[in-house]
């Protein structure tokens, strides 16, 4: 851990930015330079594109980048979950091969965890990987895989031992998505978009060295990925950017974002768009309806409390205190906020909630909120699973009874 | 009807999201004291008495912990801390349900004097409240139970070198034991927020008739007080009267929100402990998802409510212009959570939860009395909307 203080960090980043930031540099080149300097992910270890700074100081660095309008390293999608998992469990080869290209935005990742027969119960995966010579040969099916249609690599959880108990027969791999044995088929969602896919593996190949962790340790490695996923789900928007000079790099960034985000344009809507609530109340005149006013106040209270709870968790972390219960609640809170938003938005919209598309309220945004919000309480672990986790880990209540012990071969499944 | 703090000179600071180490230590010491002095056996003993508190414990918490003047500036005999520390005290009192005239003397009366009093009045009145030597309370609501100051009907007419009070106040916390009464009243022939001011008088003055009311929540004693031509002194002036009353109520609402957050935490802890212990169908009831998920939801609710209560206190301490709105937000959030936590705690206890011997009902009753005291959640939600300009 570094012993730099806030003022020293600010001074050093500023100096580095003054010497290096150039808004007219190509995007990938700039991000590479930023990654190599360690200022792109300052909380990462020094040997791997970081500076070993605590999270609190990493935010300071972010502020400094934002202050000069500098573009940060690529952070979209699940790339940082992949990176966090590789940092914790990957070999030096993995780190060398993948981390930098994650940060420059050259590679895109996806997460091959859920299967038709096992979603909440991820450890029930039946996609199999068998070692044949220098390759693991993968056969099976994954589903709901966000971004698989344009991903370069996937984090794959597959079964390598059918006689071991369920959680001990899994292994974790990095698999190339763009190969003949991987067939990606987009799935249309209830909101009409297609950001997730079903993926069929037929003798797909994974080089031997792309095993992450040891054989049979896949569950442990997957837990790292999931922990990072749930921590990131507290629904907080990124800090606003205060750009100074706009250069070609910004245009490139925008173009990249537009292309990459096209299947995900509904993402802001799934969180419920609490930011639109007050404006919509005024715009629809429902701010004069005492019943609606009560509903708005309830929703805004919930949303504010969720935001402050996340900030309490961060502030405690910054002070070096052990994590309290407030740190485990973000995902469940975000579900409640999203659902309440969908309810209040449609309440305020009234009969026009029967409409969708460009001619409907707010060019279809309101309709899209309604049909996108249900994703939040399912993706990344359902609300029910979150409640189990909170009850068991935070409140230390008894674990769920198990009916899936013994060799996996004999366990009941779909 | 925002009363953003034009009257205070303190500059605006950034709102904090964590307690300092000193504040945490203060909380720990306080919790130790309360665990020791206010076990439920004591709560039960005191709630059955007429006065409703133990003077020896009051003395101790005044002398050893300086609690009644925790937020009173040092120049008036207080400890010189602010809303955040007052919030910590309230949360711990809510947790332990200490029976003492704290809310009346420290929260309502001391703040009313700080907000309305002249320099001379503050110097004359506050030291005795801060030291715990004198008990005081604030009378706002009347028999109709309306917390909107505009509804005040009690009249203060000039008489001699003071005023004569005529009217009836109700829901006056600790009104039966207070030595000093602070009364909100209006100049004759005024209405709304015009002509409002605060007045002080000794509780044993002539023309004052006090009657303790039968309180649903026996841990918070309340009284009705009739004034018929009682001689009183003006606290501060008429111009800033309504502002001082609203400010005092908003501060009281924040204190109460923190108290409710503490009470809700006790209910959650109690339900969790029982769920780990009670066995049915060969397993602890905490292993049933119906119970487990209820408790996970309650944990979330309690943490969200705490965030609201802490944030309102921090905002008031930082003199953020939004603090009165946040006070209303916190009141609505913590009221509903406390009530829900108390009801679920009874449910999770099953039949024993419905008995007098089980302690849950003590908090259940406090939860409801706090929910309606100083304005119901719906009242504060409406206030929040107004204060946000919606
Ligand atoms: C928009 C979206 C994007 C996604 N992206 C990805 C991705 O990129 N990669 C990936 O691998 N997966 C992804 N998923 C899949 C997601 O993780 C799973 O859908 C989720 O974990 C639930 O699994 P399931 O669909 O099999 O439902 P099931 O597990 O069958 O659950 C059905 C119902 O049973 C309940 N249930 C299940 N187990 C329990 C229990 N123990 N206690 C109480 N109730 C229980 C659930 O809460 C739910 O209500 C995505 C899903 C969505 C909606």
């Amino acid at each position: 851990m570094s012993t730099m203080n806030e003022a020293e960090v600010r001074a050093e980043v500023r100096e580095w930015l003054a010497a290096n930031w150039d808004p007219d540099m190509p995007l990938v080149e700039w991000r590479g330079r930023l990654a190599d300097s360690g200022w792109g992910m300052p909380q990462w270890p020094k040997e791997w594109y970081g500076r070993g700074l605590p999270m609190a100081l990493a935010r300071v660095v972010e502020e400094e980048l934002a202050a000069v309008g500098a573009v940060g390293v690529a952070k979209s999608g699940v790339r940082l979950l992949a990176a966090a998992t590789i940092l914790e469990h990957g070999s030096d080869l993995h780190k060398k091969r993948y981390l930098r290209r994650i940060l420059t935005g050259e590679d895109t990742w996806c997460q091959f965890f859920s299967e038709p027969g096992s979603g909440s119960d991820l450890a029930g995966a039946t996609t199999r990987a068998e070692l044949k010579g220098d390759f693991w040969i993968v056969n099976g099916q994954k589903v709901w895989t966000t971004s698989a249609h344009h991903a370069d690599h996937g984090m794959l959880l597959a079964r390598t031992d059918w006689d071991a108990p369920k959680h001990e027969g899994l292994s974790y791999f990095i698999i190339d998505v763009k190969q003949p044995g991987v067939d990606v088929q987009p799935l249309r969602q209830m909101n009409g978009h297609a950001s997730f896919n079903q993926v069929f593996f037929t003798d797909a190949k994974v080089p031997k060295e792309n095993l992450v962790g040891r054989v049979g340790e896949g569950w442990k490695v997957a837990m790292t990925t999931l922990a990072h996923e749930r921590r990131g789900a507290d629904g907080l928007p990124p800090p606003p950017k205060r750009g100074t000079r706009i250069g070609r790099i910004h245009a490139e960034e925008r173009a990249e974002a537009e292309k990459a985000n096209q299947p995900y344009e509904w993402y802001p809507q799934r969180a419920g768009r609490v930011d639109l609530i007050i404006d919509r109340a005024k715009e629809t005149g429902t701010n004069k309806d005492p019943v609606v006013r009560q509903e708005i106040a309830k929703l805004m209270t919930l949303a504010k409390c969720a935001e402050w709870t996340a900030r309490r968790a961060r502030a405690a972390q910054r002070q070096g205190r052990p994590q309290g219960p407030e740190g485990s609640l973000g995902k469940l809170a975000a579900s409640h906020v999203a659902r309440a938003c969908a309810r209040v938005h449609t309440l305020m919209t009234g009969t026009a909630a029967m409409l969708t598309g460009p001619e409907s309220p707010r060019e279809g945004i309101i309709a899209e909120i309604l049909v996108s919000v249900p994703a939040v309480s399912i993706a990344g672990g359902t609300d029910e699973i979150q409640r189990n986790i909170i009850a068991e880990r935070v409140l230390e209540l008894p674990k769920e009874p198990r009916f899936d012990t013994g060799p996996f071969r004999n366990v009941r499944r779909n | 009807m925002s009363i953003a703090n034009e009257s205070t000179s303190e500059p605006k600071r950034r709102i904090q999201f964590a307690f300092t180490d000193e504040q945490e230590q203060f909380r720990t010491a306080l919790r130790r004291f309360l665990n020791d002095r206010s076990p439920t056996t004591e709560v039960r003993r005191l709630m059955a008495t007429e006065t409703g508190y133990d003077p020896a414990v009051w003395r101790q918490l005044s002398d050893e912990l300086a609690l009644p003047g925790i937020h009173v500036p040092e120049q008036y005999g207080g400890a010189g801390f602010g809303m955040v520390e007052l919030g910590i005290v309230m949360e711990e009192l809510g947790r332990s349900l200490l029976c003492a005239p704290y809310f009346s003397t420290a929260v309502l009366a001391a703040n009313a004097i700080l907000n309305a009093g002249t320099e001379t009045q503050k110097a004359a009145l506050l030291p005795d409240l801060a030291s715990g030597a004198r008990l005081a309370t604030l009378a706002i609501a009347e028999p109709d139970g309306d917390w909107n100051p505009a509804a005040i009907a009690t009249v203060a007419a000039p008489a001699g070198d003071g005023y004569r009070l005529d009217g009836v106040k109700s829901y006056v916390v600790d009104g039966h034991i207070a030595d000093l009464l602070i009364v909100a009243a209006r100049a004759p022939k005024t209405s709304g927020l015009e002509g409002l001011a605060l007045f002080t008088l000794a509780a044993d003055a002539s023309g004052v008739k006090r009657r303790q009311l039968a309180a649903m929540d026996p841990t918070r004693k309340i009284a009705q007080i009739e004034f018929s031509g009682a001689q009183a002194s003006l606290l501060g002036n008429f111009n800033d009267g309504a502002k001082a009353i609203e400010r005092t109520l908003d501060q009281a609402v924040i204190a109460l929100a923190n108290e409710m957050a503490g009470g809700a935490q006790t209910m959650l802890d109690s339900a969790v402990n029982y769920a780990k212990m009670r066995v049915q169908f060969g397993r602890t009831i905490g292993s049933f998802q119906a119970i487990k998920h209820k408790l996970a939801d309650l944990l979330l609710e309690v943490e969200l409510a705490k965030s609201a209560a802490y944030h309102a206190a921090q905002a008031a301490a930082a003199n953020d212009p939004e603090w009165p709105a946040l006070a209303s937000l916190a009141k609505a959030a913590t009221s509903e959570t406390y009530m829900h936590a108390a009801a679920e705690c009874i449910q999770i206890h099953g039949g024993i939860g419905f008995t007098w011997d089980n302690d849950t009902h003590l908090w259940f009753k406090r939860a409801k009395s706090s929910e309606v005291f100083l304005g119901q959640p719906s009242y504060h939600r409406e206030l929040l909307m107004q204060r946000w300009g919606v």
Side-chain angles (χ1 to χ4, degrees):
Chain A
M1 270 282 147
S2 150
T3 51
M4 285 175 88
N5 67 29
E6 183 175 328
E8 286 163 353
V9 169
R10 280 195 200 278
E12 209 176 313
V13 188
R14 269 180 213 171
E15 195 181 318
W16 186 85
L17 282 170
N20 290 278
W21 165 237
D22 170 8
D24 293 318
M25 199 187 287
L27 182 60
V28 169
E29 188 188 329
W30 157 249
R31 280 179 167 160
R33 195 184 280 189
L34 184 59
D36 294 336
S37 74
W39 291 123
M41 288 304 269
Q43 68 274 36
W44 282 11
K46 279 189 187 146
E47 345 29 313
W48 299 107
Y49 310 104
R51 296 232 157 199
L53 293 181
M55 211 42 223
L57 289 178
R59 290 192 201 285
V60 166
V61 175
E62 237 168 68
E63 284 168 23
E64 289 300 325
L65 261 76
V68 298
V71 173
V73 292
K75 292 184 175 171
S76 61
V78 295
R79 63 181 63 245
L80 291 186
L81 305 184
T85 310
I86 291 171
L87 272 175
E88 198 165 324
H89 301 282
S91 64
D92 281 0
L93 178 78
H94 299 150
K95 292 176 190 169
K96 229 175 269 155
R97 193 180 284 168
Y98 299 112
L99 291 178
R100 192 172 187 278
R101 292 176 62 87
I102 286 178
L103 298 181
T104 58
E106 287 162 285
D107 286 352
T108 295
W109 285 66
C110 68
Q111 189 180 14
F112 292 124
F113 282 11
S114 304
E115 298 185 4
S118 57
S120 301
D121 185 15
L122 276 183
T126 57
T127 291
R128 60 175 74 222
E130 286 158 310
L131 187 61
K132 295 207 174 125
D134 286 339
F135 289 92
W136 290 91
I137 306 300
V138 180
N139 281 286
Q141 185 192 350
K142 294 287 173 179
V143 75
W144 326 130
T145 318
T146 302
S147 300
H149 52 302
H150 53 76
D152 302 287
H153 311 290
M155 302 170 259
L156 171 72
L157 188 62
R159 187 156 305 276
T160 44
D161 185 347
W162 295 69
D163 295 310
K166 188 166 156 180
H167 294 79
E168 290 158 37
L170 297 166
S171 302
Y172 196 109
F173 303 94
I174 297 170
I175 187 168
D176 279 351
V177 183
K178 294 176 173 156
Q179 59 164 304
V182 179
D183 178 19
V184 178
Q185 303 179 356
L187 284 174
R188 192 163 184 223
Q189 296 137 198
M190 66 176 275
N191 59 5
H193 296 280
S195 40
F196 61 29
N197 306 269
Q198 54 183 342
V199 182
F200 297 90
F201 300 91
T202 315
D203 293 334
K205 286 163 108 179
V206 175
K208 210 168 138 189
E209 69 271 15
N210 270 12
L211 172 74
V212 182
R214 275 195 288 266
V215 173
E217 283 186 356
W219 182 247
K220 190 175 103 185
V221 181
M223 291 312 284
T224 300
T225 316
L226 289 181
H228 283 270
E229 181 169 13
R230 284 164 190 166
R231 209 169 301 151
D234 61 13
L236 285 185
K241 280 194 179 150
R242 292 175 282 132
T244 44
R245 193 160 82 77
I246 305 294
R248 114 174 199 193
I249 198 169
H250 293 104
E252 248 185 81
E253 190 200 19
R254 211 171 317 117
E256 180 206 72
E258 255 164 42
K259 178 163 157 275
N261 289 340
Q262 189 271 327
Y264 313 107
E265 61 188 0
W266 58 283
Y267 274 24
Q269 277 67 269
R270 74 177 171 178
R273 298 303 300 268
V274 72
D275 58 313
L276 298 180
I277 291 281
I278 304 279
D279 284 352
R280 284 287 295 159
K282 293 179 179 167
E283 174 177 309
T284 55
T286 49
N287 62 336
K288 296 186 194 77
D289 178 337
V291 175
V292 175
R293 290 170 73 82
Q294 287 288 318
E295 295 305 313
I296 294 172
K298 281 183 205 165
L299 163 59
M300 296 307 291
T301 297
L302 176 63
K304 287 284 179 191
C305 288
E307 181 191 324
W308 297 330
T309 302
R311 295 194 62 173
R312 273 172 61 210
R314 283 195 202 162
Q317 183 191 40
R318 196 166 310 180
Q319 297 207 335
R321 302 225 171 98
Q323 196 191 359
E326 68 277 3
S328 322
L329 302 169
K331 187 165 190 307
L332 194 52
S335 281
H336 286 304
V337 172
R339 252 193 311 266
C341 278
R343 201 170 48 75
V344 175
H345 268 305
T346 48
L347 171 70
M348 296 191 298
T349 301
T351 313
M354 294 171 82
L355 305 175
T356 188
E359 283 178 45
S360 71
R362 289 277 176 142
E363 289 85 44
I365 295 283
I366 303 302
E368 192 159 272
I369 292 168
L370 177 72
V371 295
S372 299
V373 155
V376 175
S377 44
I378 298 171
T382 67
D383 280 7
E384 288 73 25
I385 296 300
Q386 292 308 310
R387 290 189 179 97
N388 281 345
I389 293 173
I390 291 164
E392 291 170 19
R393 309 241 175 98
V394 184
L395 299 175
E396 298 177 336
L397 288 164
K399 292 225 185 310
E400 290 294 287
R402 295 278 301 268
F403 304 95
D404 56 357
T405 50
F408 183 71
R409 202 175 281 291
N410 305 331
V411 169
R412 183 174 167 197
R413 51 185 186 265
N414 289 303
Chain B
M1 52 180 300
S2 165
I3 56 147
N5 318 277
E6 49 279 48
S7 58
T8 53
S9 52
E10 259 180 73
K12 182 174 178 280
R13 292 192 274 116
R14 263 169 78 160
I15 299 178
Q16 301 299 306
F17 285 92
F19 293 109
T20 63
D21 290 339
E22 292 72 26
Q23 287 164 340
E24 292 289 4
Q25 282 156 15
F26 172 58
R27 182 193 293 285
T28 306
L30 189 53
R31 190 171 298 179
R32 204 175 306 127
F33 175 87
L34 292 166
N35 283 343
D36 189 40
R37 300 308 141 79
S38 183
T40 49
T41 45
E42 273 303 283
V43 174
R44 284 170 179 275
R45 180 178 74 79
L46 293 167
M47 74 185 197
T49 63
E50 201 191 310
T51 56
Y53 79 110
D54 181 342
V57 174
W58 178 252
R59 204 52 1 270
Q60 264 181 325
L61 67 81
S62 305
D63 294 350
E64 291 171 21
L65 298 168
L67 295 191
I70 190 80
H71 58 309
V72 173
E74 282 164 307
Q75 78 226 61
Y76 309 124
F81 294 103
M83 268 315 285
V84 175
E85 288 77 9
L86 183 63
I88 292 172
V89 175
M90 291 312 302
E91 186 181 352
E92 295 305 315
L93 296 186
R95 223 178 217 278
S96 66
L97 218 54
L98 174 82
C99 291
Y102 192 82
F103 201 86
S104 50
T105 302
V107 176
L108 292 170
N111 278 334
I113 295 167
L114 279 167
N115 293 330
T118 62
E119 213 33 61
T120 321
Q121 287 170 325
K122 288 192 248 187
L125 297 171
L126 286 170
D128 279 349
L129 302 196
S131 72
R134 208 171 174 208
L135 302 184
T137 192
L138 172 67
I140 301 254
E142 305 190 345
D144 67 0
D146 195 336
W147 293 98
N148 184 348
I152 289 168
T154 298
V155 170
D161 52 2
Y163 293 82
R164 44 170 295 164
L165 294 181
D166 283 286
V168 183
K169 291 290 176 183
S170 197
Y171 309 105
V172 183
V173 177
D174 296 324
H176 63 305
I177 49 170
D179 306 305
L180 173 72
L181 302 179
I182 304 171
V183 183
R186 61 171 65 255
K189 301 199 177 68
T190 60
S191 66
L193 294 177
E194 295 298 310
L196 288 174
L198 291 167
F199 300 84
T200 59
L201 73 168
D204 56 6
S206 71
V208 178
K209 209 159 84 201
R210 304 194 271 180
R211 180 166 70 86
Q212 190 169 333
L213 298 170
M216 175 276 298
D217 166 15
T219 64
R220 174 137 54 214
K221 309 277 189 214
I222 44 180
Q224 180 158 316
I225 310 180
E226 264 181 68
F227 301 94
S228 25
Q231 193 68 23
S233 316
L234 176 64
L235 188 64
N237 60 57
F238 274 95
N239 284 344
D240 304 321
K243 250 184 228 159
I245 292 170
E246 286 186 328
R247 188 178 165 84
T248 306
L249 282 174
D250 288 335
Q251 289 165 331
V253 156
I254 293 175
L256 186 59
N258 280 274
E259 182 191 301
M260 290 192 282
Q265 181 70 54
T266 299
M267 293 291 85
L268 171 63
D269 292 345
S270 160
V272 169
N273 287 336
Y274 192 72
K276 285 179 184 170
M277 216 174 70
R278 172 76 174 167
V279 175
Q280 290 291 284
F281 299 96
R283 49 200 271 213
T284 51
I285 57 168
S287 71
F288 297 118
Q289 276 196 354
I291 303 290
K292 210 165 148 175
H293 286 190
K294 233 192 235 305
L295 290 169
D297 285 334
L298 267 191
L299 173 71
L300 172 61
E301 250 193 87
V302 170
E303 288 300 323
L304 293 178
K306 277 187 190 168
S307 295
Y310 297 168
H311 194 68
Q314 294 280 9
N319 208 24
D320 187 284
E322 233 202 327
W323 79 264
L326 299 178
S328 282
L329 186 156
K331 174 67 166 73
T334 51
S335 301
E336 302 225 313
T337 298
Y338 193 3
M339 204 51 226
H340 185 212
E344 293 289 33
C345 187
I346 292 179
Q347 183 65 22
I348 288 169
H349 275 81
I352 204 166
F354 190 63
T355 64
W356 186 267
D357 273 354
N358 183 271
D359 290 329
T360 312
H361 71 97
L362 305 178
W363 278 269
F364 177 90
K365 290 168 185 170
R366 175 59 77 86
K368 183 52 85 175
S369 84
S370 307
E371 181 193 289
V372 298
F373 180 42
L374 304 178
Q376 308 222 27
S378 54
Y379 171 81
H380 280 284
R381 280 193 289 264
E382 177 51 39
L383 216 47
L384 171 66
M385 290 291 90
Q386 289 173 21
R387 288 171 168 182
W388 271 349
V390 178

